Structures are given as structure tokens and as C-alpha cells.
Amino acid sequence: DAEYTHQAGLVDVRGPQGSEDQACTAGVTCTMGAFTGHLLSTDDQVGFMAHSGACITTDKDASTEIMQSQFRSVDATGGALATGAPHVLSHTNTEVTVAAVDLPKGGYWRICYCTNYDSCDTYSDYTVEAGVLTVQGADGIGTYTCVRYAPMCAFQVVGTVLSGNDNVQIIRDAGAYGGTCATTAESTVFVSSRKLADAGGSTTAQSFDTGTGSLQGRYRVCYCPDYLGCDADAEYTHQAGLVDVRGPQ
């Protein structure tokens, strides 16, 4: 050490500090951040990679999973001042806001950060994990089967951070799984088209019995993850799956 006689300069290692986990609700607009670190800027971007993978080596997740399979720009949120004599460096914290359509289902994703590095246009530019994103909600891919005029129509919804206060809502009456969650009214085909979770569920699975289905066909099942009371169509923010009511016409 004694032979390194004087300073050549200073090197800045830019990037987020990491371990700043975020939480959102499926089908609801969400702002993530602030992300803090060193020399962050509005030229940075974030990518959302499958939780089973890793930053640098895993590409952004598919459009059916999250963020429409797009990298996302960040915004500035507040400033910070770091003093390291003889230099004074000003930098910003960052955040990212995403739309309801960007969060179609529940799950876990790695938030990988590109600190304005090599254009931020490929997954290998996203060199560091800023945190883990938890999206509360159903997994969106459930397939359920019931029988026309049977005394019950029971099924189990799988997801992330589910609770006994969650509800499902089956929509449309035509039996052709039309309509859109959060905008289409509940079906009149089932005894309890809007239904609170049965007792005994867990954070990863909740069961529901919507009662007799009176018309054969396929219906969309929408999910309210204990959001704003689950007493309005708009609170059934995303799809849990599809239910088939079997039987002759």
C-alpha cells in the first residue's frame, strides 16, 4: 500500500442501492420507488424479469405476464446531495409509474435497473437488481369446470398475497367469455356471481362457490384482491381465469 503514493482521481460506480422491494395490485395503476443510489438519472430504465431468473442474464418477461414485455423509463422524484471532497455531486432518486394494463396478474418479478448503460435496449444492459416486485392478485390462468344446474359451482383461484377478504365476479350472460374485468357487470346466470372467498384459504389459494349456473357456456372470472371493498365492478381489477358450465342448450 505504501507504494501507491498519491491519488489519480475518483471513480463513480453508478446504480441503485438495491433491496428496495415494491408492491402493486394486479390491474391497478402503480408507482414504484423511490429508487435510491448513486448518480441515478431520468435516462435510466428498468426491466421486469421473471423471478426465477437473474438480472443481466434473463430477458424481460412476456407480454402476457407483465409490462406488455417492455422496458420502462424512470422519472425523477426528489433530489439528493452527496459531498465527497474535492467534488460535490448532485443526483436524483427515481421512480416508475405503470398502468393497470401493465399488471395483468399476480406474481413476483425482479426489478432490474439499467443506469443509462449502453442504450438500455437489451437485457444484458440491466446489470443490477433494484428490488423485487410483488403484485397482489390471481395468476390469471385458472380453468374451472362446472355443470349446468348442479347445486354448486366451486373452484379454487391460485395467486399471490391472496386473502379471505378477496372476491370473484363472473361476468356476462351470453356464455362466450366476453366482457372485460373492471368494466363489465356481473352475470345473472349464477346464484352468486359475485362471491367472497370461502373460509380456510391461504395467501396462495382461495376457494369460491358461486352456486348453480343456469346456462351452459364459458364465462370470465374476474378477481378483486381485497381492493376498495369489492362492491363495484371497477374493483374486480383483473382476470382469475375462465369457467366452463357444461351441459346441453
Side-chain angles (χ1 to χ4, degrees), residues 111-193:
I111 307 170
C112 298
Y113 202 97
C114 176
T115 318
N116 190 23
Y117 172 66
D118 198 20
S119 301
C120 296
D121 57 0
T122 188
Y123 63 86
S124 59
D125 298 340
Y126 293 75
T127 59
V128 61
E129 183 177 301
V132 172
L133 170 63
T134 299
V135 181
Q136 179 186 10
D139 67 3
I141 58 174
T143 54
Y144 320 117
T145 302
C146 299
V147 174
R148 185 180 184 187
Y149 285 126
M152 60 189 299
C153 179
F155 50 85
Q156 186 179 76
V157 176
V158 175
T160 303
V161 198
L162 307 184
S163 84
N165 294 321
D166 295 353
N167 284 251
V168 293
Q169 176 170 285
I170 302 176
I171 60 174
R172 291 291 291 270
D173 291 340
Y177 64 97
T180 304
C181 294
T183 60
T184 303
E186 65 182 296
S187 174
T188 62
V189 168
F190 297 82
V191 171
S192 300
S193 293

Side-chain angles (χ1 to χ4, degrees), residues 10 13 24 32 37 40 47 54 88 93 104 107-108 118 124 132 152 154 176-177 209-210 240 247:
L10 299 172
V13 179
C24 297
M32 288 168 264
L40 307 183
V88 177
N93 298 329
Y108 299 97
D118 198 20
S124 59
V132 172
M152 60 189 299
Y177 64 97
D209 180 6
T210 57

Side-chain angles (χ1 to χ4, degrees), residues 26-52:
V28 178
T29 298
C30 185
T31 296
M32 288 168 264
F35 297 109
T36 60
H38 184 59
L39 294 182
L40 307 183
S41 81
T42 53
D43 294 322
D44 301 344
Q45 295 195 64
V46 291
F48 295 84
M49 283 56 168
H51 192 259
S52 58

